Amino acid sequence: MTSASLRIAGVPVVRDLFEPAAALFDALTDTQSPACHTLGRLPTPGEIADADIRAAWPFARVVSFDVFDTLLVRKVAAPRDVFLHLATPAPFAAWSLDPVVLAQHRQEAENDARRRGMIARGSMEVTLQEIHTVLAERLRRPTSDIPAMVRAEQLVERALCVAHPHLREVFNRAVHDGKVIWCVSDTYHEATFLRELLSECGYALQGVDVVSSADLRASKGEGRVLKQLAATAGVAADAVLHIGDHPRADFAIPAQQGFLAVLHPWAASRHEDRVSSCPGDSIAMGLAQIGSRTVEPGFPFWWRFGYAVAGPLLSAFATWLESRLTADGIDRAYFLLRDGEIILDVYNALHENRPGPALSLLESSRRAFVVPALEIGNASMTAQLLACENPRHAGEFLERVGLRARDFGAAFRAVGVSAETVVSRDNTAGMTAVAALFSRPDVAKAMLAVSRTERRLLCRYLAQEGVLSPGRIGLVDIGWNGTIQKGLLAVASLERTALDVRGYYLGTHAGASADLMGSEAIGFLFNAGAPHDHARAVQQLQQLVEFICTTARGSLRGFRVEGVRTVALHGAVDHPEPQLAAIRQLRDGAVAYARGLAEERQVFGAHPISVEAALRHFVRTVRQPTAEEAAAIGDITHGEGLGADRARAFAKFTDAPFTAASLQRDYAAAYWPAGLLARREPAALALRSLLWLRGG
């Protein structure tokens, strides 16, 4: 085989075959979107819709808008989730109905009312009054309750609906330009109520026609409403621009009839959207959708990620945490730096001015708590010293515990490696040698001296922060193995200090219960590795959860005494500036989400959020990333900490120009293979082709 060729699965592949990949990618991209090179990327669906609206605008005498999921969006995950909140207002509140059961009755009542309408009138279009007439029958309520039942659902709609901020701008432009405006909805709400609802959400409706399928007994989906309106107004179809979110009723059918139809991408039918199983989930998911989908141009990616992905995840955890701290009688809760900082920010945004235990941040890191605890001899402590996600020199393992590798040349020679030997977790012999190095008497003695010195400093800091004072304390962190909790307990044991500690974590792996000395570590998403499906979903890209919970500060290396205070010693900031900006934006988005959720809870109640809902957007992002997500998240670099500064990207191509070998190497090394494949660049196109050819 020559230097100009490679061999994949025994078949020679000429290196030059990969050179046209960029040209092919550019040609395909130009075909898909001729303007993409001017823009620097493929346009978003929202940008495409806006361009279509601008192109049609000069020819439109009339601008017709769909109402729900277009002019108005609901703060719930799916339209049917409205019914989950019916149990809150009167008269339903007095009947003590389960929200989920009532929602099911409400949906079945609508289905029944539509069947009756088809039999009686030949139309399935019904009014809210007719639906609640059937619902009253199902609930065995007198007909005198029906008006109040209707008003209750209208009250819920008023509380849930807000204007789509971008489409309100389009609406206002139509008013300014003197267009005739129609608001047309396929709905059970009558036009009178729709007009009130739109007005309350900030739409100026003077001279605007508001039309409901419930009044007309005909729908856009049947292809009758827009034709009827155009005929009545004496307007040709090609002078009417209709904007809506439904692929068939708002786009395909009007376009077939000659209307200027634009599909605006609220996309309420995205594959990650689904009917919620409880009121808390409906609001949590609905807010995430509004914050991430309704702004054109969009907020920065990492703000949107913080709002729509990290926001529900951390707010669900904070909701669970607040109830656990209260139930367990926690006196003081310490949020462990670095991962606990954003958790505390979200907790405070969600529970501002709520009574509860004293909350504070506690300087911590695995290294700063493991090294002082080494004398205890627990396997979970010493195992942390061998953590190795990236290849590194053997000498670094000593340096991470405060020893100089050059002082232990004899020990290295005795175990068969040098300080410069590169080892990794895939190199069994190398890792075995490093483990043997820690067992050498001279190394163990030096480690013990460092451990005792650092333990004295750590105990001074813990006493200063009130950790060692009487009372039950809670530790809050991202979790996984509960290493810091175990280190704290080990240090307290070595110092003969009794502690009453509970650990509250985003998730805990199966081995987290070892070496807890009678304490307890509880996970929210998964506890001791169960349920397995939740643990597996997170472990697909656990590093992304760690990035969500990181901060812009350097890692804690230890402590020192300054006067009467014990202060933290931090390493250098271990994120490049673009990554620091991403961290700040993510944090701002997550906190904005928590504040929005807190406001909605004042109206709808502080319902818990299920683990399934908390993970939904995270899991979709990891398993089915968009090209934007793949590029932004894929460029993030991650290392294992413990004083190490070596890191690698989640999912990024390293070589340009790339080769078959480099593509396979990048794919094997990626934390996130799905993200690497989803990137929209020539290397990803070539990698997908290689894997396709190999049947992988």
Side-chain angles (χ1 to χ4, degrees):
M1 184 173 67
T2 68
S3 60
S5 65
L6 302 166
R7 186 171 294 272
I8 302 175
V11 179
V13 178
V14 180
R15 184 186 300 271
D16 292 346
L17 289 178
F18 291 92
E19 292 180 0
L24 175 61
F25 179 86
D26 288 343
L28 292 171
T29 304
D30 283 337
T31 302
Q32 178 70 22
S33 177
C36 68
H37 291 296
T38 302
L39 190 62
R41 54 176 170 77
L42 286 173
T44 66
E47 290 168 336
I48 293 171
D50 274 353
D52 290 341
I53 291 171
R54 287 193 299 271
W57 202 260
F59 307 101
R61 288 177 53 197
V62 178
V63 182
S64 170
F65 294 92
D66 174 46
V67 177
F68 292 105
D69 292 335
T70 302
L71 289 179
L72 300 179
V73 291
R74 295 179 173 110
K75 293 176 281 191
V76 289
R80 283 179 57 180
D81 285 3
V82 171
F83 311 150
L84 286 168
H85 300 281
L86 277 178
T88 301
F92 296 102
W95 302 342
S96 300
L97 298 171
D98 180 89
V100 177
V101 174
L102 176 57
Q104 184 64 36
H105 278 303
R106 165 61 182 81
Q107 183 60 48
E108 291 172 356
E110 180 179 335
N111 297 341
D112 194 7
R114 293 188 184 280
R115 285 191 294 268
R116 295 184 190 185
M118 178 59 73
I119 294 170
R121 299 180 302 274
S123 172
M124 295 185 68
E125 299 304 313
V126 295
T127 66
L128 194 61
Q129 174 86 17
E130 291 163 346
I131 292 171
H132 279 272
T133 297
V134 179
L135 181 59
E137 295 173 8
R138 297 178 66 89
L139 298 178
R140 295 184 174 86
R141 305 304 306 178
T143 56
S144 58
D145 284 340
I146 294 172
M149 293 165 64
V150 171
R151 287 194 298 273
E153 183 161 341
Q154 291 173 338
L155 179 65
V156 171
E157 286 281 20
R158 285 187 164 98
L160 288 173
C161 286
V162 294
H164 188 304
H166 180 62
L167 286 172
R168 182 166 54 191
E169 293 177 4
V170 178
F171 181 95
N172 291 340
R173 191 192 320 157
V175 173
H176 178 270
D177 291 353
K179 305 288 188 183
V180 176
I181 300 176
W182 302 338
C183 299
V184 187
S185 182
D186 285 349
T187 180
Y188 39 75
H189 290 300
E190 295 167 274
T192 301
F193 175 70
L194 289 181
R195 181 173 288 274
E196 295 172 358
L197 190 58
L198 286 162
S199 295
E200 291 168 6
C201 289
Y203 289 98
L205 298 180
Q206 184 176 358
V208 174
D209 287 337
V210 179
V211 179
S212 167
S213 63
D215 296 319
L216 296 179
R217 304 296 189 182
S219 69
K220 290 178 294 179
E222 297 168 334
R224 296 165 56 189
V225 173
L226 292 179
K227 286 180 63 176
Q228 181 177 327
L229 290 172
T232 301
V235 181
D238 61 4
V240 178
L241 168 61
H242 180 70
I243 304 169
D245 76 296
H246 196 283
R248 183 171 181 273
D250 292 315
F251 181 68
I253 291 176
Q256 290 169 5
Q257 295 174 335
F259 293 95
L260 304 171
V262 173
L263 184 67
H264 198 276
W266 165 246
S269 58
R270 293 185 187 183
H271 54 78
E272 71 264 32
D273 299 340
R274 65 195 74 169
V275 175
S276 299
S277 59
C278 60
D281 286 4
S282 73
I283 295 293
M285 295 294 95
L287 282 182
Q289 290 170 190
I290 288 175
S292 60
R293 301 182 190 175
T294 62
V295 180
E296 293 288 347
F299 290 142
F301 170 82
W302 284 107
W303 191 97
R304 286 182 280 122
F305 180 88
Y307 192 98
V309 179
L313 179 67
L314 297 179
S315 292
F317 178 43
T319 300
W320 171 86
L321 178 62
E322 193 267 346
S323 65
R324 287 304 308 243
L325 294 178
T326 301
D328 293 348
I330 298 298
D331 298 304
R332 305 180 305 283
Y334 294 93
F335 291 71
L336 304 180
L337 286 170
R338 299 186 294 177
D339 297 337
E341 187 170 30
I342 190 174
I343 299 171
L344 180 57
D345 288 340
V346 168
Y347 187 98
N348 284 334
L350 200 57
H351 303 112
E352 190 174 11
N353 300 323
R354 291 277 294 275
L359 310 177
S360 60
L361 289 168
L362 187 72
E363 293 279 6
S364 60
S365 69
R366 284 183 296 160
R367 190 235 172 265
F369 276 66
V370 166
V371 172
L374 290 178
E375 192 171 356
I376 199 74
N378 286 346
S380 58
M381 294 292 100
T382 55
Q384 290 295 320
L385 302 180
L386 298 175
C388 181
E389 287 186 3
N390 299 294
R392 59 189 60 255
H393 296 118
E396 293 181 43
F397 290 88
L398 287 189
E399 290 164 1
R400 67 169 35 161
V401 298
L403 301 180
R404 295 183 303 183
R406 67 173 181 265
D407 294 338
F408 297 93
F412 278 105
R413 288 190 294 273
V415 299
V417 297
S418 72
E420 289 73 34
T421 301
V422 176
V423 300
S424 69
R425 60 183 178 183
D426 298 325
N427 179 357
T428 304
M431 294 306 298
T432 300
V434 172
L437 182 70
F438 286 149
S439 299
R440 296 284 304 170
D442 52 344
V443 174
K445 181 179 178 181
M447 287 173 56
L448 181 59
V450 171
S451 176
R452 288 173 174 172
T453 298
E454 294 199 14
R455 188 165 78 236
R456 288 193 295 271
L457 290 168
L458 175 59
C459 288
R460 280 180 61 106
Y461 174 73
L462 294 174
Q464 170 184 292
E465 300 302 312
V467 177
L468 304 183
S469 300
R472 175 169 292 179
I473 65 171
L475 302 181
V476 182
D477 194 14
I478 193 171
W480 308 153
N481 295 303
T483 301
I484 294 174
Q485 181 179 352
K486 294 172 184 178
L488 172 63
L489 291 166
V491 166
S493 176
L494 290 167
E495 296 295 315
R496 295 178 173 79
T497 300
L499 286 182
D500 187 358
V501 181
R502 300 287 186 277
Y504 303 95
Y505 302 112
L506 200 57
T508 59
H509 294 323
S513 58
D515 298 329
L516 280 175
M517 301 183 181
S519 181
E520 188 176 12
I522 312 161
F524 167 60
L525 299 176
F526 49 93
N527 187 45
H532 177 67
D533 288 349
H534 296 165
R536 183 176 58 186
V538 170
Q539 288 167 347
Q540 283 186 301
L541 194 55
Q542 180 175 299
Q543 297 82 3
L544 180 56
V545 181
E546 293 169 8
F547 181 73
I548 287 171
C549 294
T550 195
T551 71
R553 66 172 66 209
S555 179
L556 175 69
R557 299 299 178 89
F559 300 93
R560 72 164 178 258
V561 177
E562 288 187 359
V564 297
R565 298 284 297 172
T566 304
V567 300
L569 291 172
H570 291 279
V573 174
D574 50 2
H575 298 286
E577 182 51 43
Q579 204 153 298
L580 292 175
I583 291 168
R584 289 189 288 266
Q585 291 169 5
L586 188 158
R587 183 261 179 202
D588 289 346
V591 172
Y593 174 89
R595 287 175 178 151
L597 184 60
E599 291 177 4
E600 298 308 320
R601 288 181 165 186
Q602 293 178 16
V603 178
F604 297 103
H607 300 286
I609 303 169
S610 72
V611 171
E612 289 74 14
L615 280 173
R616 187 175 303 164
H617 289 172
F618 174 85
V619 170
R620 197 279 311 154
T621 300
V622 171
R623 293 178 177 171
Q624 298 173 306
T626 65
E628 181 188 33
E629 291 165 341
I633 298 171
D635 285 354
I636 296 299
T637 57
H638 177 81
E640 68 259 31
L642 278 168
D645 56 5
R646 190 172 285 115
R648 68 179 191 271
F650 283 165
K652 188 175 182 179
F653 294 101
T654 55
D655 286 1
F658 53 84
T659 65
S662 74
L663 292 176
Q664 294 182 100
R665 184 170 60 249
D666 289 341
Y667 188 64
Y671 284 114
W672 187 29
L676 198 68
L677 289 170
R679 294 183 73 112
R680 191 174 284 148
E681 55 191 272
L685 173 64
L687 176 60
R688 290 192 293 268
S689 298
L690 276 176
L691 295 178
W692 173 76
L693 286 169
R694 297 177 61 185

